[in-house]
Amino acid sequence: MKTGGGAGGERAPLGRRERLHEIIFEADTPTGKAFDVALIVAILASVLVVILSTMPELRVEPWQGRLYAVEWVFTGLFTAEYLLRLGVVKRPIRYARSFFGIVDLLSILPVYLTLFLADESHPEALLVVRALRLLRVFRVLKLARYLSEATALKRAVIVSRHKIFVFLTAVLIIVVIASATMYLAEGQTNESLDSMPEAMYWAVITMTTVGYGDVTPGTITGKFITAALVLMGYAMIIVPTGILSAEITAHRGKGVSTQSCRACMHADHDPDAAFCKFCGEKL
């Protein structure tokens, strides 16, 4: 993390809070990279524990007790991480209300809620507890902040959002027209296409080239419409791919650092930036 200022551009000594922020939120130092790698391993391992806990063969002793103990170890680690993140940022409430702040909280909250809801005398309570425990699998969302290409993809989606909206609007128009045409062609003879909503469901499934086969045309006209819609679906696959690829390529040459602003928590700063380009805070 660059602090800027100082004679000759020398790096000013960091306080304990700033040092922790550099380790937890950034990855341009060996300790920061080590923290990120360790956290990724812990997230994957905790998700694996959740998956294993749903297997009937492992819902017996001693495996059930062992998995429960391991889960509490992960919960303790993620709780400490969450508290550290709140402690090193300048606006803890803002971080708690951010996307990753909510994900961090949801990754530990279900385990603590099971302490208050587990009651063997009420079977319905056990169903709630089981559902809450399964929510722990969403810890995999915590991986998003560590995927370097995720930033480029997010930026490409934001920049091209208007083009994507126009594309989706065009798809919706085609679906409505195709469903109306199919309803006119087979609505009176095919029970699976006896309404516009049913025909729209068929159009979406057909246009995405999935073709479940649960709704099929029975007339020559209907088959012709289906074939045309399938070919159109294949042709339209390249449109969003081309839009995002062009935006990613356009921004690939623009390097960014891993610095994260302690005030507004924004990242994606220029490598030589000394101040946050979003709020002006010193980096």
Side-chain angles (χ1 to χ4, degrees):
M1 180 175 68
K2 297 178 178 64
T3 55
E10 295 181 358
R11 183 188 178 100
L14 298 176
R16 179 179 298 180
R17 190 177 180 185
E18 289 78 9
R19 179 61 176 165
L20 285 175
H21 182 274
E22 184 180 70
I23 294 173
I24 296 173
F25 281 94
E26 302 174 14
D28 54 355
T29 62
T31 51
K33 292 179 181 178
F35 178 85
D36 287 351
V37 171
L39 198 54
I40 290 172
V41 172
I43 293 169
L44 293 175
S46 68
V47 173
L48 178 61
V49 170
V50 175
I51 295 173
L52 293 177
S53 66
T54 63
M55 298 176 60
E57 299 87 352
L58 300 180
R59 289 205 297 265
V60 294
E61 294 298 340
W63 292 108
Q64 187 175 22
R66 292 173 180 174
L67 291 175
Y68 185 73
V70 172
E71 174 54 39
W72 270 108
V73 171
F74 285 125
T75 300
L77 290 175
F78 293 135
T79 300
E81 178 219 354
Y82 178 66
L83 294 177
L84 281 174
R85 289 185 183 275
L86 291 177
V88 298
V89 296
K90 288 188 174 182
R91 300 177 182 176
I93 300 300
R94 183 168 184 173
Y95 175 76
R97 295 170 60 184
S98 66
F99 171 77
F100 285 118
I102 294 174
V103 169
D104 290 340
L105 180 61
L106 291 180
S107 70
I108 60 175
L109 191 60
V111 182
Y112 291 110
L113 289 178
T114 57
L115 295 176
F116 303 97
L117 296 178
D119 186 356
E120 296 183 0
S121 63
H122 297 85
E124 65 278 5
L126 292 179
L127 294 177
V128 175
V129 171
R130 184 174 299 175
L132 286 173
R133 287 177 177 172
L134 193 58
L135 288 177
R136 295 170 299 176
V137 76
F138 286 98
R139 283 177 184 162
V140 74
L141 291 176
K142 289 162 65 69
L143 290 174
R145 61 157 63 95
Y146 303 107
L147 301 177
S148 58
E149 294 301 324
T151 301
L153 181 59
K154 180 183 70 174
R155 186 188 301 113
V157 171
I158 293 175
V159 172
S160 58
R161 62 186 182 277
H162 299 297
K163 298 177 184 177
I164 295 176
F165 176 76
V166 172
F167 168 74
L168 293 177
T169 302
V171 171
L172 178 61
I173 292 173
I174 294 173
V175 166
V176 172
I177 294 175
S179 60
T181 306
M182 181 59 79
Y183 174 69
L184 291 175
E186 298 206 3
Q188 303 301 321
T189 59
N190 194 332
E191 293 183 358
S192 299
L193 296 166
D194 59 354
S195 67
M196 276 289 292
E198 292 290 343
M200 291 182 70
Y201 164 77
W202 160 85
V204 171
I205 298 303
T206 303
M207 195 171 185
T208 55
T209 70
V210 177
Y212 290 141
D214 54 343
V215 181
T216 57
T219 65
I220 295 178
T221 303
K223 292 178 180 179
F224 176 80
I225 296 172
T226 301
L229 199 59
V230 168
L231 293 176
M232 189 176 299
Y234 273 115
M236 296 190 72
I237 289 176
I238 64 174
V239 177
T241 304
I243 293 174
L244 293 180
S245 298
E247 294 296 341
I248 292 175
T249 302
H251 290 84
R252 187 174 295 277
K254 301 177 181 179
V256 295
S257 70
T258 62
Q259 294 182 91
S260 175
C261 178
R262 291 182 56 219
C264 68
M265 293 170 293
H266 275 97
D268 304 336
H269 297 96
D270 296 332
D272 58 347
F275 297 88
C276 176
K277 62 183 178 182
F278 299 98
C279 69
E281 180 75 13
K282 192 174 182 180
L283 297 175

